[in-house]
Every structure is written in C-alpha cells, then in structure tokens.
Amino acid sequence: MTDKKNAKDIIIKAASRLFRTRGYYGVGLNEILKESGTAKGSLYYYFPNGKEELAIAAIDYTKEFVADKIRRALEKFEEPIQAFQAHINDLSEEFGVHKEIFGLPIGTIAGETSLTSEPIRLACQSAFECWQLIYVEKLLASGYSEKHAKELGLLINAMLEGGILLCLTTKSREPLRIIAEQIPFLLKK
Amino acid sequence: MTDKKNAKDIIIKAASRLFRTRGYYGVGLNEILKESGTAKGSLYYYFPNGKEELAIAAIDYTKEFVADKIRRALEKFEEPIQAFQAHINDLSEEFGVHKEIFGLPIGTIAGETSLTSEPIRLACQSAFECWQLIYVEKLLASGYSEKHAKELGLLINAMLEGGILLCLTTKSREPLRIIAEQIPFLLKK
DNA sequence: CTTTAATTATAACAACCGGTCTACTAGTAT
DNA sequence: ATACTAGTAGACCGGTTGTTATAATTAAAG
C-alpha cells in the first residue's frame, strides 16, 4: 500500500488499473510492462506464477484501495441514507471527471474468470465480501437488524457494480446518480 | 456440416454463449468455430469484418433472446412487484440448474469493450435500453409516473447485472434471491 | 576490492491470435 | 453437359501471447 518504491508495487498498480478497465484477457503482459516501465524479468521475479498471480495481487490491491474509499465516503454522514448517497455520488463524480481511467472495480475480470480461474474467482469473491462488510457495519451501527443489513449490503454491491457498468456503456454518469436517488426508498426501515 | 439451420445462426448462437460467459477477449475465433462445428471460411463469409462484427451480431441475438425471456416472465403477474420477483427468481433458478452455461447477459463484454470498441459498446447500450424499456412499460401500465418508471427500470437493470455477477463469483444463487426479496421496498409507490 | 546474492534486462520459445487466401463441394439454371 | 454461384473447408500468414532461460547489472556483505 506504500507509494512508488519497489518495482513490485509499480507493476501491481499498473496491472490493477489496466485489468479493471479492460479485463483479464483484454490486457497483455507487454502492455502492463510498458505502462509500468519495468521489464519482463522483474515481473516473473516477483510473480513466478505469471499473469494469474499478478492478477490476484492486483485484485487484492484494488480491494484495499476501494475499501478505503468506501470507508472515507461513509464517514461523512452518520445517517446511512446520506452516507451511501454521498458514496455513490462520489463515484459518479469521479466518472465524470476522468472517465478514461475508471473501470468496474473488478466486475469485468470477475465475469471473465469466474469459470476459468478458480484462484482469481476467489480473490474477487474476497473483495466483494470485504466491501459488503463495510456496508453492513455502517447499517448495523444505525440499528438495522443483522439479516436486513446483510441483504442491503449485498444489494448495494450489486447496484454499484451494475451502475458502474451502465455508466461505462452509456458513457454517462447519470446511471449512478439515479441509483443514488433511489437509496432512500431502499434503506427505509 | 450444415445442420438443421444455416451456419450463420449456428455461429451466432455459439458466439453468443461463449462471449457471454467469458467475454470478448477471453474467447478465440477457433473456439467459436470448434463449438459451432463450422470452419473459418464460413465465418468470414457471413461476417466479412471478422470478430467485431460477429460480436455485435451475438449481442443483438442476446438482446432479443433476453428480451423475450423478460417479457414472458413479466406476463405471469399483473402486479409489478410479483412480476419482477418472478423474473429474478427465474434467473436465480436457471443459475442453480446449469451454472456452467450461465453468464452475465452482456456485462462482461460490455465492460471489456466500452473503451476499446465503439461499435460493440453501442450494441451493448442498445441491449440495455431495450431491456429497460420493457421494465418501464410494465411499470407505466401500473400507474407509475414516467420519470419514476424510467428510474426504476434503470435500477433493475443495474441490480440484475450486478446480481448475476455476484452469483457467478460466489457460485451461488443466493444473491439474486436476496435481490428479489428487496423488490417490494423498491417498487413502493 | 572480492564475492555473493538480489534484481533487471533481453532474447528466444511454442502456442495461439485474428485474418487472408485458394481450392473445393453442392446446387441451380441454362 | 456446362457455367455459374453460394457456401464450406482448411492451410497459411504475420504478429502477439504468456512463459522460460540466460545474461547483465546493481546492492550488500565480508
């Protein structure tokens, strides 16, 4: 999680960005190397098992990165409704500003590999669980029941991945904004 | 090797299935040909512009195929809440039965290509719009306002794509079932 | 300095990619 | 029978893929 120090982190960061935006099979090793300014030797030194191992590291990095972003956004308001709206609007805003480097956090790679690579699938699952847990905790703190909180946490995860996908496909930030507006109806106790 | 139908449709069907489950870059032409039992000559005879043109045809096919499925499911109940729940539970059921051949309708390919192929992106956008329109019409028929219906239609689209993604990554049909249970809160007028 | 380990840089690898090309079959109309 | 055409089959191409092996470089330790 430290900044640009060793080559390993640089490679992970570049891979994370590229995998997120274009998927696992859509990005080649050469492109990752070019973007990160490193060479093949370094990649296979740090990731002896190649592309798959790198992808898992990239997903883990994205998991933590996104988790921090979620936490920071949810802290802004005590009330879940306002907090989640703030979070979603943050995403929408980010998409509006620099749409090129914005991808489904891990949706694309998750869909591509769910049937072809069990290790990557598990890494994606872990990320989704991590984010959901943050949502759940926020809801529990406001008195939602354990069951209800878990259901809503899952739903928010699904809505966000789907919403980001729609933003990408329509090249507009409207989908996420509309989703944010529906949050109050959803979180009504 | 001409089966009951012409080769073009066979290729489109095979491509549709493979693209849906593993994405655009995750599937090679040779695999599509092997699966469809045709040869390269036929493919480039019907799709002179190659893989991209085939992908668009496959997406259009998926669009109509899924649209029919949605219409059939929504017809079962007049009340939107029950109708949408039936639709989502259908999907969940289908995933439980044969999870291998179940993919995000087009989520994966949409994410992969939104930044790399404008024609494919537009085909995906058209599919999403088509499905949303069906949702909207169902809601309008029950007295929802135009604005509210459109918002909910988009939300349902996002929830479904996200929910299917979560089903794939967790190898469980629970996500879609949980989403179905939340529908009543969402559609409350 | 010398020696040794850690890291990086290339070159080469088979396998496969999407795409092109030509030969071939089968059916139809003349 | 002949000529024409729609459609099929598959070998082949240049380029790229992920991976491996090895050489060159740097850093650390004695």
Side-chain angles (χ1 to χ4, degrees), chain B residues 2-187:
Chain B
T2 36
D3 276 29
K4 50 207 130 187
K5 285 199 140 191
N6 54 4
K8 188 175 182 181
D9 287 341
I10 296 176
I11 294 174
I12 289 179
K13 272 186 151 183
S16 163
R17 234 210 62 197
L18 288 168
F19 281 147
R20 253 165 27 208
T21 50
R22 304 221 309 270
Y24 182 71
Y25 297 110
V27 179
L29 253 25
N30 293 320
E31 198 174 355
I32 296 174
L33 295 173
K34 199 173 70 181
E35 168 120 349
S36 64
T38 57
K40 222 161 239 186
S42 304
L43 199 161
Y44 275 87
Y45 176 78
Y46 292 110
F47 306 97
N49 293 330
K51 193 183 187 183
E52 191 175 54
E53 188 180 357
L54 170 58
I56 292 171
I59 291 167
D60 285 343
Y61 170 79
T62 303
K63 169 170 86 172
E64 298 301 334
F65 175 79
V66 172
D68 280 348
K69 189 198 287 192
I70 296 172
R71 271 187 281 259
R72 259 180 284 120
L74 293 190
E75 274 170 5
K76 290 185 193 166
F77 296 93
E78 192 174 333
E79 267 306 305
I81 290 180
Q82 297 166 50
F84 282 109
Q85 282 186 318
H87 172 43
I88 300 173
N89 283 324
D90 276 1
L91 292 179
S92 167
E93 194 74 22
E94 182 182 328
F95 179 73
V97 175
H98 38 298
K99 47 187 71 185
E100 319 94 24
I101 72 151
F102 191 98
L104 291 156
I106 55 168
T108 303
I109 186 171
E112 275 178 305
T113 60
S114 70
L115 297 171
T116 52
S117 167
E118 195 67 2
I120 297 183
R121 199 208 104 226
L122 290 171
C124 294
Q125 181 172 2
S126 163
F128 284 131
E129 280 169 1
C130 167
W131 303 335
Q132 181 178 351
L133 188 63
I134 302 174
Y135 302 143
V136 168
E137 278 169 359
K138 180 76 184 180
L139 293 166
L140 286 178
S142 294
Y144 288 79
S145 76
E146 183 101 12
K147 179 172 178 289
H148 196 194
K150 277 189 181 174
E151 290 171 350
L152 289 177
L154 183 140
L155 192 68
I156 290 168
N157 244 341
M159 281 191 330
L160 289 194
E161 286 290 332
I164 292 170
L165 179 64
L166 289 181
C167 283
L168 278 170
T169 47
T170 62
K171 287 203 170 183
S172 150
R173 60 173 143 172
E174 276 299 289
L176 276 176
R177 277 203 31 235
I178 292 174
I179 288 172
E181 281 174 21
Q182 302 299 315
I183 286 287
F185 304 101
L186 235 143
L187 295 199

Side-chain angles (χ1 to χ4, degrees), chain A residues 148-164:
Chain A
H148 196 193
K150 277 188 182 173
E151 290 171 349
L152 289 178
L154 184 140
L155 191 68
I156 291 169
N157 244 343
M159 282 191 328
L160 289 195
E161 286 288 334
I164 293 170

Side-chain angles (χ1 to χ4, degrees), chain A residues 90-104:
Chain A
D90 275 0
L91 292 179
S92 167
E93 194 75 21
E94 182 182 327
F95 179 71
V97 176
H98 39 297
K99 47 186 71 185
E100 320 95 22
I101 72 152
F102 189 97
L104 291 155

